[in-house]
Amino acid sequence: MYAEKFQSSLAAVEAAREKNIALEPVRMTAQQKEDLLAEFHPDYKQGEFRELSIGPNKGDKVPTELAEILQAHSRIKASDVDLTKPDYETDVLIIGGGGAGASAAIEADEAGASAMIVTKLRIGDANTMMAEGGIQAADKPNDSPATHFVDAFGGGHYAAKRELLSKLVCDAPDAILWLNKLGVEFDKEADGTMVTTHGGGTSRKRMHAAKDYSGAEIMRTLRDEVLNRQIPVVDFTAAIELILDENGNAAGAVLMNMETKELLVAKAKTVVIATGGAGRMHYQGFPTSNHYGATADGLVLGYRVGAKLLYAETLQYHPTGAAYPEQIYGALVTEKVRSLGAKLVNAKGEVFMHPLETRDVSAASIIRECNARGNGLDTGNGLGLWLDTPMIEAIGGPGTIEKRIPAMMRMFGKYGIDIRKEPILVYPTLHYQNGGLDINVNGETTNVKNLFVAGEAVGGIHGRNRLMGNSLLDIIVFGRNAGINAAKTAKDVKVGKLTLDHIEKFEKEIEAAGIKTDTVSPKLLPNYTKQKNI
């Protein structure tokens, strides 16, 4: 399958494989990591960020593409809708149909509240579905939530909100039990013991998985539970503005049918933003592993009504996105490939880093190797280097790849690449939105009452970098958390008169700041044509 231009490099990789398997790469020192990140990680490229001129984070820097939609015009005027005649009324309105939104809906329903999901695509069309490697939880005898905390806190550059990270790791074992009870088919030994592996930056084997389609299996189970409970789901309907009541509390959303553009009003006692990530913003021109609808909608919705952002300048570029062939450029190559024994190798066949460094360090190392040291290969899409997958079966024996990472084997197999026998070409891909809306430990935004947030739209859980397996964990822990607390809060809420006054107020801020823009937001879908966005 590989073109002639790759053959000499492939020969070098194959010749060095036996030596490289035995090689124990030295981990970097803390100072070496900081120096590497400062020079090569995309988050540190100052020219790619813009200072916000308006809103609760005025003066903070965010990616240029995000600044454009945060400081854009609303899609509507207040006069476009009649707030006195809601089309929907519910206790808990959940915006987003991924793992966090589904978890919130299930727990809100369990608590006796009426819950409704609105999602701009279909329930399950989410980054949850794209997650592959697994979900962390310290539930083995040699592990503990405290150890999990230390790993994650260090991996996030000691920037996580301690109370959020503490909840994440302490609730993790129960999250696994909850999913197992709902029917998630985790990998298990013959006696029922769950199989666990390492991830980058972890000191214990605490990664629970369903082969290498863990997110799809979790999403399948959550979606079935939502549907079995007959929780209303409004598909192909986007939230384009939050609605506040006269007291400034979240009280619903203006919805838009994605096909007809009809505007609808949903009134609610509490609102949960679970809109996911931002990969389809293609920050700095990077490819992405994200699903089609990941356009940072929740950040825009929350920001416009005054909710504060935290760490919005930090993104996660997964070290191993597919760099070849062109048809799968940017697709996720799960970290589990490296946890099973594959190492990153340059064009000369040299191992140049420890395979299980944290994701930001790994991504920066690959970028350095390709760009500064000139040891990458021209893939036709850009640069890339080898992830030596045949090492896995050399270490674990024949059949390991098909048993443990069958989705990876099939993804590359479609294009004539047998990862059991041939290495694959990889380069970092835009993967995860580290920053998001600032919440307290109950899941409520810190400065807008009755507005809850869960999943990738939250900032602060992971700090400035996330470890593998903690995203599937946070959608469960904080999705459930948001659903429980939104339902509890809804019991005592008396919704005041509905208002969209914030739209005009925000427009005045744009004008006063001298911002000249034709952009409207939320973006809703990426634009891959010469036509204007939807």
Side-chain angles (χ1 to χ4, degrees), residues 280-282 292-295 523-529 533-534:
R280 291 289 167 171
M281 297 294 292
H282 292 289
Y292 190 56
T295 49
K523 189 172 184 176
L524 301 184
L525 293 175
N527 180 17
Y528 295 117
T529 72
N533 287 356
I534 292 174

Side-chain angles (χ1 to χ4, degrees), residues 314-330:
T314 66
L315 286 302
Q316 183 169 87
Y317 296 81
H318 196 289
T320 55
Y324 184 88
E326 183 178 13
Q327 297 94 323
I328 55 172
Y329 182 48

